[in-house]
Amino acid sequence: MNAVSLHEHLPDFEAWRHELQQAREKVKHPDLPFNLVLYTDGGCRPAPRGVGGWGIFGYVYLDVKPKQGHGCKGFIPTSQGLRNVAPGDAKSDEVSVLCYIDGCGALPKPSTNNAAEASAMRYALEVIAKLKPANVMFRCDSEYVLNGCREWIYGWDKKQWKNAEGQP
């Protein structure tokens, strides 16, 4: 299984889409839509005004059970993210992973935790826009980013992405 690295640069998405199609054919589900699970995080040290860092992790999957004996122990990939399973637990919601996504980057001083969290989400949204999966599940621990995506974005759009002083 391939891993796509997002260290500072995004991959060639056309080549990646082609590889995903080949992987779907290999698992005998060429027409089944693929889905995506993404975890995002960011931080800054010292906070605030230090060096920021962001990261995303995830996987592209098909909503089918993997072959027996795939060797996955401990955490299993599901449509709702990684799940910790004890030996012998039912794996009814396990999915077939086509590709893992792993990326990180840095933000120069002065940065903030919120800027780093937002950068992680920005890269995650770019991956989604380029891959166009059927379904996406996010895991994000930033209230700032979640509020921005759920609520504030409508006000930002209405103000044409400018603050009270008219600055972008």
Side-chain angles (χ1 to χ4, degrees):
M1 226 172 294
N2 294 338
V4 176
S5 174
L6 300 177
H7 296 274
E8 302 301 332
H9 301 289
L10 293 173
D12 177 349
F13 283 99
E14 289 305 316
W16 195 14
R17 256 186 244 146
H18 180 70
E19 288 177 26
L20 289 174
Q21 184 58 33
Q22 289 178 326
R24 291 191 324 202
E25 290 169 6
K26 186 176 179 181
V27 295
K28 300 185 178 12
H29 295 285
D31 299 323
L32 197 61
F34 62 86
N35 305 293
L36 180 62
V37 170
L38 283 176
Y39 293 82
T40 63
D41 203 3
C44 178
R45 289 227 171 127
R49 307 290 178 241
V51 174
W54 61 267
I56 67 173
F57 168 78
Y59 48 90
V60 177
Y61 71 92
L62 294 177
D63 206 7
V64 295
K65 283 190 177 252
K67 306 185 298 190
Q68 287 290 353
H70 61 85
C72 189
K73 293 183 169 92
F75 286 88
I76 62 168
T78 73
S79 62
Q80 297 302 304
L82 295 173
R83 197 181 95 198
N84 192 359
V85 293
D89 275 1
K91 297 181 181 180
S92 62
D93 58 351
E94 193 171 2
V95 296
S96 290
V97 174
L98 297 177
C99 176
Y100 289 95
I101 299 166
D102 191 17
C104 62
L107 300 175
K109 287 182 180 182
S111 189
T112 64
N113 286 340
N114 285 343
E117 294 276 4
S119 292
M121 183 59 74
R122 175 193 168 273
Y123 282 98
L125 291 173
E126 194 160 345
V127 167
I128 293 166
K130 298 282 188 179
L131 287 183
K132 298 176 179 41
N135 297 295
V136 178
M137 196 281 309
F138 273 112
R139 295 285 187 202
C140 175
D141 66 351
S142 169
E143 288 296 319
Y144 173 79
V145 168
L146 293 174
N147 286 335
C149 291
R150 291 180 188 152
E151 300 170 23
W152 304 334
I153 194 165
Y154 303 108
W156 294 335
D157 186 40
K158 192 174 181 180
K159 293 186 224 172
Q160 299 179 342
W161 306 96
K162 295 184 176 145
N163 65 14
E165 292 82 36
Q167 300 296 315

